[in-house]
Structures are given as structure tokens and as C-alpha cells.
Amino acid sequence: MEVLYSSTRNGERKVTASRAILQGLSEDGGLFVPDHIPALDCTMKELAGKTYQEIAYQVMKLYLTDFTEEELKNCINRAYDSKFDTEVIAPIVEAEGTYYLELFHGATIAFKDMALSILPHLMITSAKKNHVKNDIVILTATSGDTGKAALAGFAGVEGTKIIVFYPKNGVSPIQEKQMVTQKGDNTFVVGIHGNFDDAQTGVKMLFNDRELAEEMAATGLQFSSANSINIGRLVPQIVYYVYSYAKLLEEEKITDGEKINVVVPTGNFGNILAAYYAKNMGVPIEKLICASNENKVLFDFFETGKYDRNREFILTSSPSMDILISSNLERLIYRIAGDDAGKNAELMAALTRNGSYEITEEMKAKLGDFYGNYASEKETSERIKDMYEDTGYILDTHTAVASAVYKKYVADTGDKTKTVIASTASPFKFTRSVMNAIDPKYDQMSDFELVDELSKIGNVEIPNAIEEIRTAPILHDNVCDKTEMKAVVKRFLGIYT
């Protein structure tokens, strides 16, 4: 059955999957959502034993219905190949009786690789399907991981350019080095004076700038997005949760039909939304546990039904979650509003106008799948130390937030359902925070001395993504104010008016 996509703010106009991927964001500022969530057309038992690539096809064919089998399999096989350092793509590691789904074995050692390895292929295929002659300009804001993963995915891809904005003082040293050493004539990286929300808001404004769109079209260019607002980012993430259930079933860790819980460290809400879609497709998931850091806007939302970004922005040791405007939450709001685009648009207008909105009691009653909590910086650090001392397994800061919140969930509910925790980044990406948590004595070391020591104490090989930036030259030293983003984009694209 064909799946079409419409905007969360206007349900009338429907487009194909390939059009939605190309556009990224709807003209009205809304996000593209499927007109229905398709049910899996094979059983979990049938999926058990299949490779990551095979399961990816079984999931993605249901959403990307205007792609042929050959097109989609070509995208999948080109994405999930030797750029991942493990053949299984996403290993599951058991620690303290919980299953950690390691999503960080790609080119930039963060979970964003899982979707951003395939997005360039989906986008180029979409452009061909829709006879697009323009070059595609990928415009993205990053809180640390999306940026490098998108740069790695699109670098050198013919017919594309990529511009990444990041908060200059809001990412880890390793994250920044990964971005500013990126090669490729079609890549452009800019630090802004501001936080991630400033970068994300600026990018959305550029997407909605009709005058700029006309100027770009006149020079053969058009914008698209690699952020998780793009449905081409969200659909590949659904695969994680179908795959993890099938893998646990294959390894006889669970029985067929047995429910599992899923814990996701959450900032922009895309990854946990993908788990929600997987549940609605028929994967036996019980609770979706939304883990926040001290920027606990989502925890407060699940507690009260009020989304309020009017608060202090806190820089934490888990910077990819330092977000106060969780863009993908809009897709959930649309769904719990009964797919009412008008109601959703009203709430999003209130967020823009007042920095907050409140859902109805009826909508709040539809959030029963979710549990929200948060971990403080101290709790995150203690979780890294305790896990290492108890098992030798080293968590990155984001996964530690999820692990700490999971312990709170068990304490609150007594629920002992088997649980998968999305492990979203390698500890090598946040070496200083991770090593300081294990022992403050490590703070005297340089960033790359810490890399070597982490490898030694964790008995894990240093990822190629880290080795290659050790001596790499800085290729991008662009910094601007958040008010200058449009001028910077036009300069890079050679648009002078």
C-alpha cells in the first residue's frame, strides 16, 4: 500500500517519499509525516537471523513506496558496507543484564552515521526520480554529531554541497576537530556565536526564506536538509529497533512476542520517535523511556503536558542533547492531536510566539507509551564510573544519561522487562568527560593522550575516525554571529545581490 507524506501543519497536500526527502522541510515550516504507519508484513521470527541490510530493506520498503526494489537495495548496500568497523553494523552488548545497542560503529563513531550513511544515496536517487536538475545544497544545524556524519556522507557526492552550522563553544573538542578537518570542495563548516537552538532556528529561517530560494533557483541550486527533520533521516532509524528485537530473538535472549523496553538518550526526539514508529508497526515494545540531561525540557513535558523552552540553556558533558527545541516532537504532537494539522500548527505558533505550549488532557492521555526522566551531570559521571568498575564496559556520556535514567525507571516502577538501551556514541568522542568520570587524575592529559589511555584501560581499539584527525590540518575556520548566517551561506554559494 502506497505511503504518502503531508506536513504536520497542513494535511491537505500529499507528496511521495522521494519528494519529501528532497524537500526536507515543508514550505509551511512543518515536518513531513506518513499518512499512516505501515504494519510489518513479516513476523519477527521471520526477521530473526537476517542481516542488518536485509532488515533495513523490509522496514524501509514500507515507507519509501515510490522507490523500486533495486533502487532501495542499492541505497542500503552502498550505505551499510565496509565503512562500518563491524560486519553486523549494530552489535548488541549485554552489561548488568541490560542490552546496549551499539549504534556507533560507522565512519564518525556516532549513531547519526546509521541514517546519514544512507541519506545521500536516498537523496540522489530522489533527485533522479523527480528529474531535478538543480544541485542540492544540504543545510544543517548540529549539536555535535549530525554535522560530521552529514559531512562524511555528502563529501564529494556529485550534485551536492553541504553547509553545517554548529555552536562554537557547545561541542566537544573531538567533535569540533572532526568537523573542521573535513575534506571535500563541496563542504563548508561554520561555528556560530550562540547555542544549538540558535543554529537550528537560523537554519529553519533560511529554509523558509522565499527570496533566498528564488536567488538560489536562478543559479541552479535548492536546499534540502540532513537534520532529523528530514523523513529520509527518520525512516532509517526505525530499523534499529526492528533489528534489535530480531537479534535478541535470534540469540534466544527473548521469546517470540515477549515485550521489551527501549531507552533512548534524547535531544531532538528523532531517535525515540523512530522507536515509537517501530512499536506502532508491530514490534513488541512496551515502554519508551525518554532520557534527558540537565536540559530537561522533554522530562518536564512528559510530567506536565507543557512544553516550555523559556529556561536557562545548560552546557553539559552530553552536548548532542543540549537542546531546548526538540524539533521531532512535533511529529508526535501531530499524531496525539489525532493527525490534526490545524491543532498542531496552533501549538507550534505558540512555541514560536511565547516559547511554550500546553497540550490538552486528551492528548496527554495518549502519551502512555512514554516514561521521561533525566540525569544530572553528577549522576551521569557516577554511572560511567560505576559501569566501568563493575563490568569494564565504558559508556559515553549520552549513553550514561540513558543508563542512569533506566536505573531511575526501575526504581520508580519495579519493572524488570528486558531492556534495550540505545548506545548513541563511542566514548572516544567524549574522552575528557568519560575519563574524568572514571578518575579525575586524567584531567592533566591532553585530548589525544586521553584517547590512548581510554584504549588501554577499556581494552578497545582506537577507532579510525579518531586516528585520522590526530594530525589532520584545520580546513574550516569560519565563525559568525547567528544574525549573519544568511550572508555566510550566500557567500559560500557565490550568490551576490
Side-chain angles (χ1 to χ4, degrees):
M1 187 179 174
E2 189 180 21
V3 174
L4 294 172
Y5 293 82
S6 60
S7 167
T8 50
R9 302 185 192 181
N10 178 354
E12 288 172 22
R13 182 170 166 257
K14 295 194 186 304
V15 299
T16 60
S18 60
R19 287 288 338 159
I21 288 168
L22 272 177
Q23 241 180 283
L25 195 68
S26 176
E27 297 98 333
D28 52 30
L31 279 60
F32 286 110
V33 284
D35 57 7
H36 66 283
I37 294 178
L40 285 167
D41 60 4
C42 53
T43 66
M44 297 309 301
K45 216 168 187 176
E46 288 169 331
L47 292 175
K50 290 194 182 297
T51 64
Y52 190 88
Q53 293 88 337
E54 288 168 334
I55 292 174
Y57 176 71
Q58 291 300 325
V59 173
M60 293 172 66
K61 70 174 186 177
L62 300 173
Y63 286 92
L64 310 182
T65 52
D66 64 327
F67 283 66
T68 67
E69 180 177 347
E70 185 186 1
E71 286 170 340
L72 188 50
K73 284 185 173 175
N74 181 50
C75 291
I76 288 166
N77 292 332
R78 292 178 73 180
Y80 303 117
D81 59 8
S82 60
K83 72 174 75 68
F84 286 81
D85 63 21
T86 170
E87 199 178 322
V88 297
I89 307 298
I92 297 176
V93 175
E94 188 174 352
E96 296 182 338
T98 304
Y99 301 100
Y100 287 82
L101 177 65
E102 293 188 344
L103 298 169
F104 54 76
H105 288 276
T108 76
I109 59 175
F111 84 102
K112 306 294 173 77
D113 289 323
M114 301 293 289
L116 282 163
S117 291
I118 195 167
L119 184 62
H121 304 296
L122 294 175
M123 201 163 277
I124 295 305
T125 305
S126 295
K128 286 177 185 165
K129 290 176 85 63
N130 289 278
H131 312 293
V132 170
K133 300 287 188 281
N134 288 342
D135 278 3
I136 307 293
V137 179
I138 304 299
L139 182 65
T140 289
T142 184
S143 54
D145 284 339
T146 286
K148 174 60 183 180
L151 288 161
F154 282 92
V157 173
E158 199 175 333
T160 70
K161 299 179 190 295
I162 176 163
I163 304 169
V164 171
F165 288 99
Y166 73 96
K168 176 64 184 159
N169 297 309
V171 299
S172 81
I174 296 285
Q175 284 176 312
E176 183 169 45
K177 187 98 190 271
Q178 281 187 306
M179 287 189 281
V180 298
T181 57
Q182 176 65 51
K183 296 173 185 172
D185 292 342
N186 67 330
T187 67
F188 191 59
V189 181
V190 188
I192 69 156
H193 299 303
N195 59 40
F196 168 72
D197 289 330
D198 295 324
Q200 183 167 252
T201 299
V203 161
K204 283 183 176 177
M205 286 171 68
L206 290 171
F207 267 107
N208 292 322
D209 189 323
R210 295 294 126 223
E211 184 188 345
L212 179 58
E214 286 168 17
E215 289 174 329
M216 288 175 65
T219 56
L221 301 169
Q222 68 184 65
F223 277 141
S224 191
S225 170
N227 276 86
S228 57
I229 56 176
N230 192 314
I231 199 71
R233 269 283 302 279
L234 183 63
V235 168
Q237 292 189 95
I238 301 168
V239 178
Y240 315 157
Y241 303 105
V242 181
Y243 170 80
S244 57
Y245 191 93
K247 199 72 183 163
L248 291 177
L249 189 56
E250 179 195 341
E251 294 175 358
E252 299 183 346
K253 306 289 188 187
I254 56 175
T255 58
D256 191 21
E258 180 180 352
K259 292 203 169 181
I260 63 168
N261 292 332
V262 170
V263 189
V264 186
T266 309
N268 223 1
F269 207 75
N271 199 355
I272 196 165
L273 182 73
Y276 175 77
Y277 275 38
K279 176 180 167 105
N280 282 274
M281 291 180 76
V283 180
I285 295 170
E286 185 63 41
K287 243 353 176 202
L288 298 159
I289 299 166
C290 179
S292 301
N293 65 16
E294 287 183 354
N295 291 292
K296 56 187 182 69
V297 64
L298 286 166
F299 165 65
D300 292 339
F301 169 72
F302 284 117
E303 285 285 287
T304 65
K306 184 177 184 182
Y307 192 94
D308 188 354
R309 68 173 173 84
N310 298 311
R311 61 185 69 206
E312 181 191 356
F313 184 94
I314 302 166
L315 289 173
T316 74
S317 61
S318 46
S320 299
M321 298 159 66
D322 290 346
I323 293 171
L324 295 181
I325 304 173
S326 301
S327 288
N328 265 290
L329 185 64
E330 179 170 347
R331 286 186 166 112
L332 179 66
I333 296 299
Y334 172 82
R335 187 164 172 85
I336 63 173
D339 294 353
D340 184 338
K343 176 63 177 172
N344 177 71
E346 184 186 305
L347 293 171
M348 294 308 125
L351 181 64
T352 303
R353 191 173 57 250
N354 308 319
S356 67
Y357 61 81
E358 192 160 1
I359 62 174
T360 64
E361 285 302 315
E362 187 185 1
M363 290 168 72
K364 197 176 173 190
K366 294 180 183 173
L367 294 176
D369 289 335
F370 292 89
Y371 166 92
N373 214 320
Y374 76 101
S376 68
E377 285 289 270
K378 183 169 181 287
E379 288 166 334
T380 304
S381 183
E382 286 171 352
R383 187 80 276 263
I384 294 169
K385 182 180 174 69
D386 291 348
M387 177 66 90
Y388 174 68
E389 289 178 348
D390 292 348
T391 68
Y393 188 58
I394 301 179
L395 303 172
D396 94 287
T397 46
H398 304 73
T399 310
V401 167
S403 189
V405 164
Y406 175 59
K407 287 183 85 70
K408 289 185 178 183
Y409 169 77
V410 173
D412 284 352
T413 64
D415 182 9
K416 297 293 174 63
T417 299
K418 286 168 188 166
T419 296
V420 169
I421 294 180
S423 184
T424 53
S426 165
F428 284 98
K429 206 151 192 173
F430 304 94
T431 44
R432 188 162 301 279
S433 297
V434 167
M435 295 299 280
N436 280 355
I438 291 169
D439 193 325
K441 71 180 183 188
Y442 291 122
D443 202 29
Q444 308 309 310
M445 294 183 175
S446 70
D447 287 324
F448 283 99
E449 285 173 334
L450 287 170
V451 164
D452 294 330
E453 189 65 16
L454 172 54
S455 173
K456 191 169 122 190
I457 70 163
N459 195 27
V460 278
E461 204 173 317
I462 299 169
N464 185 52
I466 299 296
E467 284 294 5
E468 68 187 11
I469 63 169
R470 214 183 262 267
T471 56
I474 304 296
L475 300 176
H476 304 271
D477 57 1
N478 312 289
V479 182
C480 76
D481 191 75
K482 62 187 180 184
T483 60
E484 300 170 320
M485 289 169 65
K486 180 175 178 177
V488 166
V489 165
K490 288 177 72 168
R491 191 161 62 243
F492 172 63
L493 296 178
I495 297 171
Y496 302 102
T497 50

